[in-house]
Amino acid sequence: MIINYRGIDVSTSFYNDACNQVLEFKIFLAKKYTVPLSLISWEHICKYINELIDNQDLIIQEINATPKFSGSTKFVNDKFLMIINKSPNIIEPRLRFTLTHELMHIILHHSELDLGFKIKLQSEFTDISDNERELQADFAANDLLMSSCLIKDRMGDYYTFKELQNSFLVSESAMQTRLHNYLVFEMGIDFKYAKYLTNQYRYYNDKTICSYVAKRTDFINYFVNFCGIVYPPSIKDISDEVSFLIPNHDRLNWLGLNLIRNDIKAVLSHQKNLEESDLPNELAM
């Protein structure tokens, strides 16, 4: 899948590379602070940044700038210098994201200092544009602050959008962007459908996104292995069977039902192709 993201064609592999590259750093933090990998949060990121400051590896300079500017990082006099916009109109969640984003630049794009570990950058990370580096830092910061595992768990508890946002200590826009990227790049949902689901969740408390994310595996397992529905499944097939798999207080809208149907079609089609590939050539049609 390739989508145009801020004027850049972004593939699933580009997104996954950014998240996979920072995985080594997440493992480092998990060991350092003896916390499960999935529970890495702002608390641990903040601790690490403060340690860099205490060790004189990092200086943070706060300035008052226009809202358009968030921050930048340079390597100066054998240490990193972060310039952070802390004007009165910059809210705390945005400041947290900026600090994490700039830290990701250090982790992904700088190798001037040994900070206790080294990320071996792939070749595609060393010859890219400044705009692509900004996207990588954004994707990595989102993944670090809002892990996929916790998103799925909290969707299973049917958090409201506001509850989900507050649990990660991020802004509304950062939370929606993370959810959108999660749906598009990690679950393979069409860009416009992902936008619709996240908009409905944020502005209208429609929890179809929660039902879909939390129960997707259950849906596929049930329909493919136990239900015995006709292939390809119809919306009515899905609608008639799905209700007992989700809480009574919630329902899937037409898009959620369509997404489940497409998932099931994809799995059944894949199984059909595998079965045919095992047949003698003269029977595989």
Side-chain angles (χ1 to χ4, degrees), residues 43-234:
E43 173 190 355
H44 310 103
I45 299 165
C46 186
K47 280 184 181 179
Y48 182 70
I49 290 174
N50 285 331
E51 287 182 20
L52 293 182
I53 294 171
D54 292 341
N55 293 334
Q56 299 185 354
D57 292 325
L58 172 66
I59 294 174
I60 295 181
Q61 180 181 337
E62 298 174 352
I63 64 171
N64 287 332
T66 62
K68 192 172 182 179
F69 176 79
S70 293
S72 65
T73 299
K74 300 177 181 180
F75 188 69
V76 181
N77 297 328
D78 295 327
K79 60 190 66 179
F80 293 106
L81 171 64
M82 272 189 200
I83 301 174
I84 302 295
N85 184 7
K86 204 175 181 184
S87 62
N89 55 2
I90 301 295
I91 60 175
E92 283 297 315
R94 177 176 168 181
L95 184 61
R96 293 187 198 103
F97 184 86
T98 298
L99 287 166
T100 307
H101 171 99
E102 295 304 322
L103 179 62
M104 291 303 93
H105 276 307
I106 293 175
I107 300 304
L108 295 175
H109 305 131
H110 290 278
S111 59
E112 292 90 344
L113 281 180
D114 184 351
L115 301 176
F117 68 99
K118 288 288 184 182
I119 287 181
K120 296 177 181 178
L121 294 179
Q122 298 175 6
S123 58
E124 58 265 32
F125 269 63
T126 60
D127 186 23
I128 58 176
S129 69
D130 289 343
N131 286 338
E132 287 174 319
R133 283 190 175 88
E134 290 303 316
L135 274 183
Q136 286 174 344
D138 267 359
F139 291 153
N142 273 319
D143 182 73
L144 193 58
L145 284 167
M146 298 165 273
S147 76
S148 300
C149 182
L150 287 181
I151 287 174
K152 184 176 180 180
D153 285 350
R154 291 167 185 174
M155 288 282 180
D157 289 333
Y158 287 81
Y159 277 39
T160 65
F161 180 87
K162 195 68 177 177
E163 288 171 339
L164 190 65
Q165 171 209 334
N166 289 338
S167 74
F168 288 117
L169 302 176
V170 296
S171 68
E172 290 182 344
S173 59
M175 189 73 255
Q176 185 169 7
T177 298
R178 175 67 176 107
L179 287 176
H180 186 268
N181 290 341
Y182 176 73
L183 293 177
V184 171
F185 295 114
E186 298 183 41
M187 302 194 79
I189 294 178
D190 183 87
F191 183 92
K192 66 177 182 292
Y193 292 157
K195 184 176 181 180
Y196 178 85
L197 283 173
T198 55
N199 277 340
Q200 290 295 106
Y201 183 43
R202 176 178 177 180
Y203 297 111
Y204 303 104
N205 198 33
D206 179 346
K207 294 182 180 177
T208 287
I209 187 174
C210 296
S211 295
Y212 180 71
V213 168
K215 294 291 186 179
R216 183 178 191 244
T217 302
D218 292 343
F219 288 145
I220 294 172
N221 183 56
Y222 172 74
F223 281 103
V224 170
N225 297 318
F226 298 106
C227 190
I229 58 175
V230 177
Y231 179 82
S234 70

